[in-house]
Amino acid sequence: MSGFSTLLYKELLRFWKVAFQTIAAPVLTTLLYLLIFSHVMQGRAPVYGEVPYAAFLVPGLVMMAVLQNAFANASSSLIQSKVTGNIIFVLLPPLSYWDFFAAYVLASVVRGMVVGVGVLLVSLGFVGLSFAHPLWILAFALAGSAILGSLGLLAGIWAEKFDQVAAFQSFLIMPLTFLSGVFYSIHSLPAFWQGLSQFNPFFYIIDGFRYGFFGVSDINPAVSLVIALANLLVFTAVSLALLKRGYKLRH
Amino acid sequence: MTPAIQIQQVHKRFGAVQALGGIDLEVAPGEFFGLLGPNGAGKTTLINILAGLALADSGSVRVLGHDVVTEYRASRRALGVVPQELVFDPFFSVRETLRIQSGYFGLKHNDAWIDEVMHHLDLTSKAGANMRSLSGGMKRRVLVAQALVHKPPVIVLDEPTAGVDVELRQGLWEFVRGLNRDGHTIVLTTHYLEEAEALCGRIAMLKQGRIVALDTTSKLLNRRDSLYLRLRLAGAALPAALAGRVRDSRDALHTLRLRSYAEVEGVLAQVREAGAQIEEMELLQPDLEDVFVQIMKEAQG
Ligand SMILES: Nc1ncnc2c1ncn2[C@@H]1O[C@H](COP(=O)(O)OP(=O)(O)OP(=O)(O)O)[C@@H](O)[C@H]1O
Ligand SMILES: [Mg+2]
């Protein structure tokens, strides 16, 4: 077993041991969104011509759960370790900064995927859904969770206190997810907000993810994927550079 | 021979605080080395730099010849550190903690050694217990075990006996002595100076980020004119001629400073001539605490 696989295993074990809180709770929350929004919005015009609103909503909610949980996993693990001081257990061994990055991000991807699959399965009990292009679904789920995993890692590296991670979550992650088209197609927005949404990387992730289900999207999914991967590349590069310097980890 | 630890001109500053002001130090393989100093002297900072937990502002540090920055993988593999702070991961049991720590070093089948370490530290009965449920002293033992999972040739213990009961303290030192006999280099910090005196072959004393003394323990103990003769007198007072030698006097019990054993006879003769009888007599060796206090006082100036 290499240092990397041990760190990955430890990160997986960490959220698995509290699965009720890290998996069951977000699945339930998302389900509540689904029930309430699809009820309130009942009778609203179908999206993309013939997709019922409830069906349109599900992929958005699944992706939202994937993104938020991937972010929460890396950021909460790191800030907990930093605040309690047990971060030294991973700083003392000969783990490279690549090992460190890959283990935290991969564990976040797994957590995001597990929650996402959970939300999807439960939703299928309420809403009928098509799966037009499963590979696109998978590609965007992986890209989205990896992006948020690396963002979570960045937040965890930067923060010194729990409330700083919470601020990162409330003032950056939440607005970006809510304004990314989870609950609506951006074509229903006024022109100004449509234009602004194009600068939100989460918009492309959700739009492309939806394409996987319905075969229709606001943006060409290949373009969306390239934009998502470019984002991932940037966050990866920044994370690795910070880890290499030991920024806020090695004083 | 490659030094176990080689520290050259290490400086470290935290804002306005100069934590380390140019440390030069070499520890040879197989040494049992003591790092002493008052609170805030910079001991932990130096250890953190050695372990890669902190980065020096300037200077270089090597563990078994491996630079701790540029060859960090080799240097960390060679080093085991017991941290001063009592930290633990509340998600895991003792055995899980030790298995995971082994894994970080790439060790897959390490259970035989983990069992041995747990046995020596009297942790076997706690193997399945969650870290959160352990007492402070027990958590300290796990930290020691964690530092040893990869059998590091160089072991650094930052106040490992703080808050630990007598029994473990003795058990721990016996275990660490055994590791030292097997060839492991040991570096120790402690505020219990009798521990350092009994264990360490060589000692560095730090004050405000500088080394103020560095020598073998026996030379440190002998370099002072601080052999003490304690006398309880009856019948007459201490002769005035001896007043300059007094370290302390309580009632008829006087502790006198001597330069060497040769002076004992002369002092006793003076006491006899003054007409005093000796009711009690004891020769006291200076201990490390005397030396420590004296060196720290001198370093003040
Ligand atoms: N992360 C930090 N930020 C700011 N100052 C620090 C930091 N770490 C250490 N210091 C300062 O550096 C100096 C040396 O501290 P250090 O912990 O190395 O002392 P020490 O010799 O280990 O003391 P003790 O015996 O109390 O453990 C102190 O003045 C301390 O306040
Ligand atoms: Mg200290």
Side-chain angles (χ1 to χ4, degrees):
Chain A
M1 197 154 41
S2 71
F4 157 74
S5 55
T6 306
L7 185 53
L8 175 61
Y9 166 77
K10 177 232 149 194
E11 280 299 295
L12 294 175
L13 202 58
R14 196 193 72 90
F15 83 74
W16 188 247
K17 284 200 170 194
V18 285
F20 199 69
Q21 181 198 331
T22 54
I23 299 170
V27 170
L28 178 68
T29 312
T30 319
L31 194 63
L32 290 174
Y33 274 122
L34 177 64
L35 294 178
I36 290 165
F37 272 84
S38 59
H39 178 72
V40 170
M41 309 285 260
Q42 215 167 28
R44 224 184 106 118
V47 191
Y48 300 142
E50 74 274 14
V51 179
Y53 178 74
F56 172 85
L57 184 59
V58 170
L61 288 176
V62 169
M63 185 47 92
M64 186 168 90
V66 169
L67 299 180
Q68 287 181 349
N69 282 280
F71 178 85
N73 203 64
S75 60
S76 67
S77 173
L78 259 179
I79 192 65
Q80 257 177 31
S81 296
K82 278 170 77 170
V83 169
T84 59
N86 65 39
I87 185 88
I88 63 162
F89 299 147
V90 294
L91 294 179
L92 288 172
L95 293 162
S96 74
Y97 49 97
W98 268 103
D99 293 337
F100 200 92
F101 172 81
Y104 275 94
V105 172
L106 259 180
S108 301
V109 167
V110 173
R111 159 106 170 259
M113 296 299 243
V114 170
V115 174
V117 168
V119 171
L120 187 61
L121 288 179
V122 176
S123 305
L124 285 175
F126 300 85
V127 181
L129 216 54
S130 63
F131 294 88
H133 305 290
L135 281 181
W136 281 113
I137 296 179
L138 187 66
F140 279 98
L142 286 173
S145 52
I147 288 173
L148 270 286
S150 56
L151 261 179
L153 183 72
L154 281 172
I157 293 173
W158 164 78
E160 280 152 21
K161 293 180 266 177
F162 285 103
D163 50 323
Q164 288 174 322
V165 166
F168 206 97
Q169 193 146 19
S170 314
F171 293 99
L172 190 72
I173 305 300
M174 286 299 268
L176 285 181
T177 24
F178 271 85
L179 300 176
S180 63
V182 170
F183 301 103
Y184 50 81
S185 158
I186 61 158
H187 286 308
S188 60
L189 291 177
F192 170 77
W193 291 101
Q194 264 192 47
L196 204 63
S197 296
Q198 317 245 329
F199 292 100
N200 180 354
F202 296 13
F203 158 70
Y204 299 93
I205 301 170
I206 289 186
D207 193 61
F209 189 60
R210 230 175 230 135
Y211 175 84
F213 290 87
F214 307 120
V216 204
S217 59
D218 292 327
I219 305 276
N220 176 347
V223 173
S224 293
L225 191 62
V226 168
I227 293 175
L229 292 179
N231 273 283
L232 180 58
L233 206 66
V234 171
F235 296 142
T236 302
V238 175
S239 303
L240 287 173
L242 294 187
L243 287 172
K244 188 174 181 187
R245 273 178 47 203
Y247 176 77
K248 290 213 179 180
L249 293 175
R250 303 179 192 275
H251 297 281
Chain B
M1 200 161 28
T2 318
I5 294 173
Q6 187 179 38
I7 297 169
Q8 285 173 328
Q9 274 307 304
V10 165
H11 290 79
K12 178 71 179 177
R13 184 173 267 292
F14 292 106
V17 179
Q18 176 89 47
L20 295 175
I23 300 286
D24 286 294
L25 187 62
E26 253 186 50
V27 177
E31 271 198 89
F32 204 129
F33 191 89
L35 200 55
L36 306 182
N39 291 136
K43 305 178 295 291
T44 300
T45 304
L46 190 61
I47 290 171
N48 285 347
I49 290 172
L50 195 64
L53 295 176
L55 304 170
D57 297 336
S58 61
S60 80
V61 178
R62 291 168 177 278
V63 180
L64 286 176
H66 307 292
D67 187 279
V68 299
V69 177
T70 56
E71 301 160 82
Y72 68 95
R73 299 190 82 149
S75 75
R76 287 185 208 158
R77 211 175 284 285
L79 189 67
V81 177
V82 181
Q84 178 176 4
E85 300 284 335
L86 209 51
V87 294
F88 61 98
D89 195 328
F91 283 95
F92 305 115
S93 72
V94 173
R95 185 178 286 282
E96 275 172 338
T97 298
L98 297 178
R99 279 197 179 143
I100 288 172
Q101 204 63 27
S102 304
Y104 291 154
F105 286 88
L107 303 167
K108 203 172 178 181
H109 304 292
N110 203 26
D111 274 353
W113 175 240
I114 287 176
D115 283 335
E116 192 179 333
V117 172
M118 282 201 298
H119 170 74
H120 281 293
L121 293 167
D122 226 342
L123 275 170
T124 311
S125 64
K126 300 281 180 193
N130 185 282
M131 286 302 302
R132 211 188 326 233
S133 70
L134 299 186
S135 72
M138 285 292 171
K139 288 191 184 110
R140 176 80 61 195
R141 297 176 201 211
V142 178
L143 281 178
V144 176
Q146 271 178 279
L148 299 178
V149 287
H150 58 296
K151 300 190 189 168
V154 182
I155 301 166
V156 180
L157 304 110
D158 197 353
E159 296 189 37
T161 48
V164 153
D165 67 35
V166 183
E167 207 174 325
L168 169 68
R169 202 179 286 189
Q170 286 172 351
L172 177 65
W173 291 138
E174 204 175 305
F175 183 38
V176 173
R177 263 203 181 114
L179 289 168
N180 184 237
R181 268 195 301 274
D182 295 342
H184 295 261
T185 308
I186 312 286
V187 174
L188 162 75
T189 85
T190 178
H191 291 291
Y192 301 107
L193 296 180
E194 67 279 16
E195 274 182 358
E197 183 175 336
L199 292 162
C200 300
R202 218 152 60 92
I203 285 173
M205 293 189 188
L206 247 65
K207 182 169 187 181
Q208 288 172 356
R210 288 173 199 283
I211 293 182
V212 292
L214 172 63
D215 217 329
T216 61
T217 309
S218 56
K219 279 203 185 125
L220 279 174
L221 290 171
N222 289 329
R223 68 181 229 168
R224 310 270 142 190
D225 50 334
S226 44
L227 176 69
Y228 298 104
L229 179 66
R230 180 170 287 172
L231 298 172
R232 185 184 294 281
L233 300 182
L238 190 74
L242 291 177
R245 293 187 179 275
V246 174
R247 186 183 78 173
D248 54 76
S249 274
R250 225 179 308 118
D251 304 328
L253 188 68
H254 309 281
T255 309
L256 308 177
R257 198 179 288 115
L258 305 185
R259 229 169 286 279
S260 67
Y261 286 99
E263 294 183 346
V264 175
E265 266 191 74
V267 169
L268 293 184
Q270 280 174 287
V271 168
R272 202 167 40 240
E273 278 160 27
Q277 289 120 46
I278 297 171
E279 290 196 321
E280 221 181 287
M281 181 171 102
E282 197 181 359
L283 262 176
L284 302 175
Q285 295 296 329
D287 60 12
L288 197 57
E289 199 160 319
D290 296 318
V291 176
F292 182 84
V293 169
Q294 226 162 337
I295 287 177
M296 290 302 144
K297 247 187 225 150
E298 285 170 18
Q300 207 95 49

